Every structure is written in C-alpha cells, then in structure tokens.
Amino acid sequence: MFDSRRSPRGARRRVTPLGALVATAALGSGLFAAQLVHPGTTEPPRISPQYVALQPRPSGGVLTPTNPGFAAVPQTGGRIGVAKSPVTVRYTFDGGVNQPLTDTHGAYALRALAQNGGTLSLVPQGNGLAVQYPTRCTLARERQCPRAILEGFREDALNPGTRPMRYGASIMMTHRDLADGANVFQKGYSVGGVSQFKLQVDHRQGHPSCVIAGRTQIYRAEPLIDVADGRWHNLMCARTKDRLTLTVDGLERAWVRLPANLSIANAEPLRVGGKGAGKGNDQFSGQIDNVFLTIA
C-alpha cells in the first residue's frame, strides 16, 4: 500500500533498503507503465503487475489455535437482533500469520479453534494467502480425528433477517478431501429451531450446495456437478425475496424457492471450515479463500 500522507516540512523521508531496492529495480527495468493523463483528471498512473510481484509476500505458516483442545463457547442469551443497514464482510487472509484475522476493513475477527492436533495454515494462493484445512481423517473412531476451523464472535449485525443477501467463498478440493459433509461457511444451525445460512460441499460426489434453514424447514440449492477436481472454484449463494440461488464460477447452477417471510437470526458466530471444533463437525478439507457476506 502506498502512503499518500505528506511528511512535515523539513522532515527527511526515510526509505527502507528493501523499498529502495524494489523501487530501483522497478525503475531500472521499466516496470512503471506509462499512462497519459488527460487534463482535469486525477487518475493515477498504472503500476505494472511485475512491480507488484517484487513486493514482499505476506507470512504464511501455521495459525495458533486459541483453545488448547476444547471448543470455545460462543456468547449466547439475550434478545437476538438483525442487520439494520447494509453490511459487507470479506476475508482474504492475506495479512499473514503475524496479523489478526479480520475482514478487509479490520473488523469481525476470526480465531482458530482446534481439537486432537488439528491445524490451520496460511499457504500461498495467487498473490496472497489461503487457509489450508486438515487432511481428511481416515481413523476408525471419528471422535479421535484432528479438527480445526475458523470462528468469529457473536455479531447480531450479521443476521440478515429477511433482507436480501449474498455469501460465498473460493475453494479448492480433491476427491481425497470429500466426506459426507464438508461445511465451507455458515452462521447458525439447521436443527433445533435456530435458523441458518450455509455453503457446503456435501456427499462424496463433490456437489456444492447453498442452504438456508428456518425454524422448521431446510431449503437447499444443489446442482449435480463436481467441484472437487483440484482446481479453484468461486461459489456464491444469493438469497432474494423468494429464491436461493447457487452460482459456480459465475454461472447459475441451481436454485430453490424460499418463503418470503423466512428470517435468519441466531446468536451463533460466523464459522469457516466446519460447524464447530467438536465431534461430528462436518470438517472441511482442502483450501478456502475469499470468504464474503453481503447483506443488502
């Protein structure tokens, strides 16, 4: 990021040796792309992607779990609220392991939770980082399997109620990562009268699906396509007044009708990669990036 703040008059501008080296290399190899700016415009000159590639990469590595083997207990109780105005949340995970896991505005922090030695890592993906989840467990006793997820804190402003919304993520899986359930992104539960929105890759066929659950009914948009092919796929769920639609890589693939009065409101936090860190958590295996939620 470039700092546009001016130094105090008379102050000497400091440049780190790395910054000077990168700038010199960029200038010497013509990496600043020339661009004519028409009079009266303020459009800045473009910067070559080659220059961006010279910048230091964020720090990958293993995320330290905040719970030593036990699932954290989310805040519950009290009246449950819903979003009163539009909300946009997006996680790119590009800050590295030395920065808090917040959305791109520095809010809605996530924490790593784990059991049985499960780990989460930030690994290179494009020009940034993605989250690597535990490999699929093959132990005979599921309760002994390593588990790890990302979990936020109670935020009633992220309950959409009946408002239109979009949510989704980019994922990369193979058939070795599949199980009966692999939850990508969710808030709430589909049982117990809690209400929920969720994105998942269910079954061993690699089918992605969007789920919205009210207090008594579950609605799922699931196409008969396989996204567990070792490539990155962009998945988006969109809830309008009476429809839930799943889009895969920009193409609408499935939809289901919803009651217009179905309200999603719960005291649960956002969760990425599973419905918890305990037994039967529908653990995701593979990589997740670019998680987002938009409430209109």
Side-chain angles (χ1 to χ4, degrees):
M1 181 178 294
F2 295 94
D3 192 348
S4 59
R5 295 173 294 181
R6 296 182 178 178
S7 300
R9 183 172 299 176
R12 299 178 64 182
R13 181 175 296 176
R14 300 179 59 188
V15 180
T16 63
L18 178 59
L21 178 61
V22 171
T24 301
L27 289 171
S29 53
L31 297 183
F32 286 99
Q35 176 183 0
L36 294 178
V37 179
H38 294 285
T41 67
T42 59
E43 186 178 359
R46 293 195 303 267
I47 298 176
S48 168
Q50 294 172 273
Y51 174 79
V52 176
L54 289 173
Q55 302 302 305
R57 293 186 65 88
S59 300
V62 176
L63 294 169
T64 302
T66 60
N67 64 320
F70 299 94
V73 179
Q75 297 177 353
T76 58
R79 183 176 180 179
I80 298 174
V82 297
K84 302 298 183 183
S85 59
V87 179
T88 297
V89 179
R90 189 175 193 91
Y91 299 96
T92 65
F93 311 112
D94 291 344
V97 294
N98 298 319
Q99 299 293 328
L101 283 180
T102 66
D103 78 336
T104 54
H105 297 100
Y108 304 113
L110 300 174
R111 52 189 169 169
L113 302 181
Q115 279 192 355
N116 300 339
T119 60
L120 299 175
S121 300
L122 296 183
V123 296
Q125 156 59 9
N127 290 324
L129 299 170
V131 183
Q132 174 72 58
Y133 282 79
T135 56
R136 180 59 60 198
C137 178
T138 59
L139 296 177
R141 296 183 178 182
E142 192 273 339
R143 66 175 180 269
Q144 297 177 345
C145 285
R147 295 182 284 268
I149 70 163
L150 293 176
E151 180 178 282
F153 298 84
R154 176 174 174 175
E155 296 283 358
D156 286 9
L158 302 183
N159 286 326
T162 59
R163 302 172 76 103
M165 65 179 300
R166 292 180 296 163
Y167 61 97
S170 301
I171 67 162
M172 194 273 287
M173 306 178 73
T174 68
H175 271 242
R176 294 189 301 272
D177 299 319
L178 293 173
D180 291 337
N183 292 4
V184 179
F185 181 43
Q186 70 187 82
K187 188 177 191 300
Y189 297 113
S190 58
V191 296
V194 176
S195 77
Q196 175 195 66
F197 64 82
K198 178 173 66 172
L199 170 64
Q200 63 186 1
V201 180
D202 249 2
H203 319 302
R204 297 185 184 274
Q205 293 78 31
H207 296 170
S209 61
C210 301
V211 175
I212 284 183
R215 295 187 178 277
T216 60
Q217 187 75 28
I218 300 173
Y219 303 87
R220 181 169 63 191
E222 178 182 334
L224 302 180
I225 63 174
D226 183 359
V227 295
D229 55 6
R231 296 181 295 177
W232 281 95
H233 293 283
N234 301 318
L235 309 180
M236 183 182 76
C237 306
R239 187 254 173 101
T240 58
K241 183 177 181 180
D242 61 354
R243 178 180 288 206
L244 173 64
T245 303
L246 169 62
T247 299
V248 180
D249 298 328
L251 298 176
E252 183 178 312
R253 292 294 191 174
W255 66 274
V256 64
R257 291 199 178 277
L258 294 176
N261 62 350
L262 190 157
S263 179
I264 306 169
N266 56 68
E268 302 298 325
L270 294 180
R271 294 185 172 100
V272 184
K275 62 184 179 183
K279 180 183 176 183
N281 71 329
D282 289 338
Q283 177 70 55
F284 180 89
S285 293
Q287 295 181 18
I288 297 178
D289 199 4
N290 299 319
V291 176
F292 70 92
L293 166 65
T294 300
I295 302 173

